[in-house]
């Protein structure tokens, strides 16, 4: 039981961007099951409220914070308001993101920029806003959501792969900058998980068949598969783990295609 106490998040507060749906919601619930108080972030108040109500119905301590994580002024205002309300952010999960699929010479520059803004800029802006208080306390956990495409290339995903490669490198740089202040910065790199963003792949028989043959586990990931990784990287159990990207991908990135 003493060893299991290392994973206990009781008394800790976790802010999860893009936490109202999909992978973000699954990560949030995993942290809540380990005892964390939750602050879910999202831009759509109706979707956010539904997620908050659903988690509260399960008995979790959760609040919503509606703001655009890519807007520096909105982020600074939100973090200031949360601090004034007594919310100390112990764990930041940079999960907000999007994807725009298409061949490189077909997607627009605006679509490319939108992916970078949602997937990369948000992590920088949020970490910049939250880390000063963590530095002051000498402790904190930042978890950046990377991807199997942080390592692999894939056609029709140039913008997404660029963004997730950037997040992996940002994790390394943030580790070097913040590690001496008692802050651990790590990444979780999911493989293929069935969400609204990936349904189009599941519906493509050729792509789905390729994925099943490429992944040793021979299945899609379920959001519950990410909970353990989030709890580990958010807890005292990972106090000497820094700058690491934890691939949760059923073995996808470990084998030849």
């Amino acid at each position: 039981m003493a060893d299991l106490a290392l994973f206990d998040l009781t008394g800790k507060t976790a802010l999860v961007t893009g936490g109202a749906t999909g992978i973000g919601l699954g990560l949030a619930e995993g942290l809540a099951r380990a005892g964390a108080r939750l602050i879910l972030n999202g831009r759509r108040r109706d979707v956010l409220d539904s997620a908050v109500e659903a988690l509260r119905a399960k008995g979790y301590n959760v609040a919503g914070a509606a703001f655009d994580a890519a807007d520096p002024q909105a982020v600074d205002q939100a973090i200031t308001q949360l601090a004034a309300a007594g919310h100390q952010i112990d764990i930041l999960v940079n999960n907000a993101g999007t994807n725009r699929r298409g061949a490189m010479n077909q997607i627009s520059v605006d679509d490319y920029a939108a992916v970078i803004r949602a997937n990369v800029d948000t992590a920088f802006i949020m970490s910049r806003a939250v880390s000063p208080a963590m530095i002051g306390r000498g402790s904190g956990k930042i978890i950046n959501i990377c991807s199997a495409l942080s390592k692999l290339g894939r056609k029709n995903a140039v913008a997404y792969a660029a963004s997730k490669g950037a997040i992996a490198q940002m994790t390394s740089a943030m580790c070097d900058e913040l590690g001496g202040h008692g802050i651990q910065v790590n990444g979780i790199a999911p493989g293929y998980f069935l969400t609204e963003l990936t349904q189009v792949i599941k519906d493509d028989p050729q792509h789905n068949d390729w994925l099943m043959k490429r992944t040793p586990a021979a299945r899609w990931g379920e959001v519950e598969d990410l909970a353990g990784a989030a709890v580990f990287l958010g807890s005292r159990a990972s106090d000497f783990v820094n700058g690491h990207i934890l691939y949760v991908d059923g073995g996808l990135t470990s084998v030849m295609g």
Side-chain angles (χ1 to χ4, degrees), residues 194-246:
L194 189 58
T195 67
E196 292 180 1
L197 290 178
T198 58
Q199 185 65 51
V200 64
I201 298 174
K202 184 70 163 61
D203 293 340
D204 179 346
Q206 184 176 3
H207 197 164
N208 186 67
D209 183 62
W210 166 85
L211 179 61
M212 293 301 96
K213 291 177 180 178
R214 172 68 188 262
T215 305
R219 68 173 177 87
W220 282 78
E222 304 287 343
V223 292
E224 292 81 5
D225 293 323
L226 294 167
V231 171
F232 169 60
L233 293 179
S235 70
R236 290 187 295 123
S238 62
D239 278 355
F240 202 56
V241 178
N242 219 341
H244 179 70
I245 308 299
L246 177 54

Side-chain angles (χ1 to χ4, degrees), residues 9 11-15 36-39 86-92:
L9 298 179
K12 302 296 184 181
T13 297
L15 192 163
R37 295 183 295 264
L38 295 179
I39 299 173
H87 295 294
Q88 170 182 296
I89 308 304
D90 303 292
I91 304 163
L92 169 64

Side-chain angles (χ1 to χ4, degrees), residues 80 116 126 223 254:
T80 297
I116 298 298
M126 290 297 304
V223 292
S254 297

Side-chain angles (χ1 to χ4, degrees), residues 60-129:
Y60 302 130
N61 185 339
V62 54
F67 62 88
D68 183 353
D71 182 338
Q73 291 184 335
V75 169
D76 287 343
Q77 182 179 17
I79 297 304
T80 297
Q81 291 175 342
L82 288 169
H87 295 294
Q88 170 182 296
I89 308 304
D90 303 292
I91 304 163
L92 169 64
V93 182
N94 286 315
N95 168 76
T98 191
N99 194 5
R100 306 286 174 89
R101 293 184 177 85
M104 183 176 64
N105 60 358
Q106 293 177 346
I107 65 170
S108 69
V109 172
D110 287 343
D111 280 344
Y112 174 85
V115 173
I116 298 298
R117 181 174 185 265
N119 297 1
V120 182
D121 294 358
T122 55
F124 170 75
I125 292 167
M126 290 297 304
S127 299
R128 185 183 66 168

